[in-house]
Amino acid sequence: MWRELLPVGRDGTTGGYRRHAWTAADGECRAWFAEQAASRGLAYEVDRNGNQWAWLGDPAAGDAVVIGSHLDSVPDGGAYDGPLGVVSSFAALDALRERGVTPGRPLAVVNFGDEEGARFGVACVGSRLLTGVLDPEHARGLRDGDGVLLADAMERAGQDPAAIGRDDERLARIGAFVELHVEQGRYLADTPHPVGVASAIWPHGRWRFDFRGEANHAGTTRLGDRDDPMLAYAATVLSARELARTAGALATFGKIRVEPNGTNAIASLVTAWLDSRAADSATLDTLVKEIAGAAEGAEVTRESYTPVVDFDVPLRDRLSRVLGGVPVLPTGAGHDAGILSSAVPTAMLFVRNPTGVSHSPYEYAEEPDCLAGIVALADVLQDLL
Ligand code: HGY
Ligand code: MN
Ligand code: MN
């Protein structure tokens, strides 16, 4: 499974993945998922919000155990963030069958659509629409960097954009969701444990900052005559870093768009996106207010926000007990499991990442740790089912 996915959407120069929602590369990943379902005799379906499901047992029976993750990536992402969870889910299902386990509840593997929000700016679109935390009208109106509407991109990929939105019928089928994911940090690397259980997800969000100025000639406009928005942007990046450090939180400007984007022209508009995260929402809200205050004259728009997630404690304790007392750790990364936790009991398993690097072509996990993750997921499933 891993070998089949490796070339899909991989950039020949950087070695990173560009599996953005509703692109050809994403379509290839989705076709792979459908094939995996078919080859195992699982009932395959795509829900109204573009999430893919592969069912063992009768979905209508309810109280299903759902496992899975996502297959899309950030720009130049790694091979593991997302796909490790989907591949491990199919592999854990195979392991259960090899063990001769007869599930007493339905089991589904899911691939949530557009988890990274790399193309349309909002993360976890598939799970947010499913749970109703993203307004369908707002989602349809999201545009990518080329101005393409999310609604049109979905339609071109064979998905009806008019049908998106909260899906109570589907949610009612789910008894528990467990997402396995590569760890995106170095907590487990300093322990003898290849697998850990998630305790919480930090609150986090994305804010757009528009710094406006006046375009002019780079060679003839005296410094004193310029209205250069790049200066306020640069000062804001430095302030954000210092304010985040003081708050014990995180603030990142990782994406920027400049108009007219000419080397010999003073910019007329700098649009920059802030990703900020903190252990609690009060710290995060204060930090973002301070950064916005430091961004002289900028117009600040919140594009998405995910409140703190405390994973279901009984489920988390059950997983940890089944796995023999593995580490329980929080994360600053967002996940579909975090979105689903507002509607159903959810839990996460993390697989050790020796360098902690993620959202980069250098992201990886050792094969024995990946295999330990599959065994852990199979053990958890056997217990839950
Ligand atoms: O950006 C995130 O936190 C995640 O990896 N989607
Ligand atoms: Mn990610
Ligand atoms: Mn992920």
Side-chain angles (χ1 to χ4, degrees), residues 70 74 81 115-116 181 184 334 358-359:
H70 63 98
V74 295
D81 177 358
E115 194 274 345
E116 296 287 5
H181 204 279
Q184 298 168 292
S358 188
H359 285 185

Side-chain angles (χ1 to χ4, degrees), residues 9 16-23 25-26 70-78 81 112-126 128 142-148 150 153 206 254-257 273 275 277 303-304 336 359:
Y17 290 91
R18 296 177 181 183
R19 296 165 173 163
H20 301 161
W22 310 115
T23 60
D26 186 43
H70 63 98
L71 293 172
D72 69 317
S73 79
V74 295
D76 279 336
D81 177 358
F112 282 111
D114 199 357
E115 194 274 345
E116 296 287 5
R119 184 173 173 195
F120 296 100
V122 176
C124 300
V125 170
R128 279 186 210 271
L142 293 170
R143 289 183 189 274
D144 71 7
D146 296 323
V148 177
L150 174 63
R206 298 178 181 187
K255 177 173 159 181
I256 170 173
R257 199 170 59 205
W273 282 265
D275 175 310
R277 312 183 187 215
E303 293 200 334
S304 68
D336 294 307
H359 285 185

Side-chain angles (χ1 to χ4, degrees), residues 61-93:
D63 200 28
V65 177
V66 178
I67 52 177
S69 190
H70 63 98
L71 293 172
D72 69 317
S73 79
V74 295
D76 279 336
Y80 295 76
D81 177 358
L84 184 65
V86 179
V87 167
S88 299
S89 294
F90 282 119
L93 189 149

Side-chain angles (χ1 to χ4, degrees), residues 208-357:
R208 194 183 75 236
F209 284 55
D210 289 301
F211 299 87
R212 288 175 204 284
E214 197 178 16
N216 212 331
H217 197 292
T220 58
T221 318
R222 285 184 301 206
L223 292 178
D225 291 344
R226 297 179 181 206
D227 180 6
D228 183 352
M230 198 60 88
L231 300 185
Y233 164 66
T236 304
V237 175
L238 297 177
S239 302
R241 167 66 184 239
E242 187 51 26
L243 290 164
R245 193 186 63 75
T246 312
L250 299 166
T252 308
F253 281 98
K255 177 173 159 181
I256 170 173
R257 199 170 59 205
V258 180
E259 285 178 26
N261 208 23
T263 308
N264 55 356
I266 296 161
S268 60
L269 173 66
V270 176
T271 301
W273 282 265
L274 169 72
D275 175 310
S276 192
R277 312 183 187 215
D280 61 86
S281 57
T283 306
L284 178 60
D285 295 350
T286 306
L287 173 61
V288 173
K289 255 185 221 127
E290 285 172 353
I291 297 171
E296 249 172 70
E299 188 186 325
V300 182
T301 312
R302 189 174 92 175
E303 293 200 334
S304 68
Y305 186 85
T306 309
V308 67
V309 172
D310 287 308
F311 285 109
D312 187 79
V313 175
L315 184 60
R316 172 185 112 187
D317 289 350
R318 184 167 172 179
L319 263 59
S320 166
R321 200 170 52 245
V322 168
L323 301 178
V326 298
V328 178
L329 54 141
T331 178
H335 299 284
D336 294 307
I339 305 299
L340 250 75
S341 71
S342 65
V344 296
T346 60
M348 289 191 76
L349 294 178
F350 290 130
V351 171
R352 183 161 54 191
N353 176 334
T355 61
V357 169

